Amino acid sequence: AIKFDLQEVEVLLSLAWKKYRKATSIQEKGEALEEVSVQQRRLDTVNKRGKDLKIRQHIAAQFANAKENRRLMAAEQIQGFRRRTMARRKELQEQKEQERRALLDNGEDEDDLEEGED
């Protein structure tokens, strides 16, 4: 909608300038110049509105990027926690298995080990 407004105002401004150039009397030139200034203010307003919209869109995009980055960081932290937990479980399992092998190597049989775990 802003581009359409911009094009419309630019056309009206150029028509106002044509009217000014064609005017012959001082009164016609004054009226045409007034129309030119009105259209110029409209053009400035439309341009400012477009600039404001671009700024708001840029801020919204930055906010969305920050939100996505926070989500990704949280997901990475959760995944890291899961990896560390799984690694710790694996270490504990290996440690138990080593203790079990050490006891078996020392001559205890498996039946004694199972009773000791209870």
Side-chain angles (χ1 to χ4, degrees):
I2 289 175
K3 284 195 185 284
F4 177 74
D5 289 344
L6 180 63
Q7 290 171 346
E8 179 186 5
V9 172
E10 286 174 341
V11 168
L12 291 172
L13 183 59
S14 69
L15 288 174
W17 276 114
K18 278 184 186 177
K19 186 177 175 182
Y20 174 78
R21 284 192 296 276
K22 287 183 180 179
T24 53
S25 72
I26 293 176
Q27 183 180 356
E28 287 176 341
K29 283 201 182 275
E31 290 171 359
L33 204 53
E34 195 173 306
E35 180 66 22
V36 166
S37 71
V38 166
Q39 296 305 329
Q40 186 63 51
R41 280 196 304 272
R42 276 186 68 194
L43 181 64
D44 293 344
T45 302
V46 168
N47 282 332
K48 183 179 181 333
R49 197 179 336 140
K51 187 176 179 184
D52 290 347
L53 179 64
K54 285 180 184 174
I55 290 170
R56 282 195 301 272
Q57 288 172 339
H58 180 70
I59 290 170
Q62 284 183 326
F63 179 74
N65 286 342
K67 192 173 182 180
E68 178 66 12
N69 287 344
R70 284 194 302 272
R71 189 189 66 75
L72 289 173
M73 285 174 50
E76 286 175 9
Q77 287 176 341
I78 290 169
Q79 202 157 11
F81 176 75
R82 287 180 183 156
R83 267 196 304 275
R84 288 190 301 274
T85 302
M86 291 302 288
R88 182 72 179 134
R89 284 182 187 160
K90 193 173 182 180
E91 285 176 18
L92 290 173
Q93 188 67 32
E94 288 173 1
Q95 188 178 357
K96 281 184 180 180
E97 196 59 40
Q98 286 175 354
E99 289 173 2
R100 183 181 180 103
R101 273 191 240 115
L103 289 173
L104 284 174
D105 289 345
N106 287 337
E108 295 186 28
D109 60 17
E110 261 188 65
D111 293 334
D112 292 340
L113 286 178
E114 288 175 4
E115 288 175 10
E117 288 177 357
D118 289 341

